[in-house]
Amino acid sequence: MSHAWFATQRYGIAPAPCGLGLVQDFLNTVGIHDYPDLLDNTTLADEWAAGALAAWSAVRGIDVQQPALTEGDLAKLRSLRDTIAKLVTGEPMDGRGTGSVSASFALSDRGDVRLEPSGGGWRWLAAALWGEILLGQQDGTWRRLKQCHNHRCRSTFYDRSKNNSGVWHNVKTCGNAANLRASRARRRERDRASSSATDTG
Ligand SMILES: [Zn+2]
């Protein structure tokens, strides 16, 4: 059984194209509803990394030696996840939080130039993620990676709509729930307005 992009698939979300799937899967390690945070402990994190890096290795054609992750690495990765999530939602960046990570240029047999992550632990994963974000920003796929607007959800999805206007990871579940809340709030507002009108009238 394949565990490719497991973090994303557990939320019933279609993966982003090619290597951007790694960034999406990393963001979806966050625990939503009853699902665990996959960066909460090394057992869960190792299991997630094994699946995600196998999938990434397959799409990028890069041999991956899965980095060993300590509790310290996980703290760094959770903070990196917050930083990348802010990038996705378009919050202003203060330039901090990227840490110092590096990648090196390599050539494939077919002559494709590749960025290969360097270092160990969280640095290796961070280099792989920044490399994918760089490529996505260049080819226009990055702006389609979005966080669901349902504040109770916040899963990361890839917007395949024609004009890149999607805001819900799933219109049926998150979109309708939000519409329902909004209409309830409007009704409460109306009720309050009419009762205060009665009071003063
Ligand atoms: Zn959602």
Side-chain angles (χ1 to χ4, degrees):
M1 196 173 87
S2 162
H3 282 277
W5 307 147
F6 166 71
T8 292
Q9 282 173 0
R10 67 184 173 152
Y11 295 135
I13 299 175
C18 202
L20 197 59
L22 179 67
V23 184
Q24 180 190 25
D25 211 53
F26 177 67
L27 293 174
N28 280 329
T29 56
V30 75
I32 302 166
H33 304 308
D34 292 334
Y35 290 96
D37 184 335
L38 299 176
L39 299 181
D40 187 51
N41 62 61
T42 53
T43 309
L44 285 173
D46 284 343
E47 202 179 329
W48 167 75
L53 295 181
W56 186 69
S57 168
V59 296
R60 282 292 179 218
I62 294 174
D63 286 333
V64 170
Q65 188 92 51
Q66 188 181 341
L69 299 173
T70 64
E71 291 293 339
D73 288 313
L74 294 191
K76 283 283 194 182
L77 288 174
R78 286 193 297 267
S79 144
L80 176 67
R81 187 176 61 188
D82 290 345
T83 301
I84 297 177
K86 280 184 189 167
L87 252 177
V88 167
T89 56
E91 283 180 53
M93 288 286 112
D94 54 14
R96 295 185 299 115
T98 60
S100 174
V101 297
S102 47
S104 47
F105 290 114
L107 270 181
S108 76
D109 297 341
R110 299 207 328 254
D112 297 323
V113 182
R114 295 193 298 222
L115 267 180
E116 297 195 346
S118 312
W122 74 272
R123 287 172 195 280
W124 190 97
L125 260 169
L129 291 161
W130 287 124
E132 289 300 341
I133 294 169
L134 168 70
L135 293 171
Q137 288 182 339
Q138 300 304 312
D139 71 11
T141 52
W142 169 253
R143 63 192 193 91
R144 288 186 171 273
L145 199 66
K146 298 180 179 180
Q147 193 179 74
C148 181
H149 275 212
N150 179 355
H151 287 264
R152 294 172 201 182
C153 175
R154 294 189 176 281
S155 61
T156 302
F157 67 101
Y158 186 79
D159 187 358
R160 288 184 164 80
S161 69
K162 215 174 196 176
N163 52 1
N164 195 28
S165 61
V167 293
W168 316 112
H169 94 270
N170 181 321
V171 177
K172 274 200 187 122
T173 56
C174 287
N176 287 351
N179 289 338
L180 201 63
R181 272 198 303 279
S183 78
R184 278 196 197 123
R186 275 196 301 274
R187 193 175 331 137
R188 269 197 304 275
E189 198 55 44
R190 262 201 316 273
D191 291 351
R192 211 170 14 244
S194 67
S195 76
S196 71
T198 318
D199 292 345
T200 53

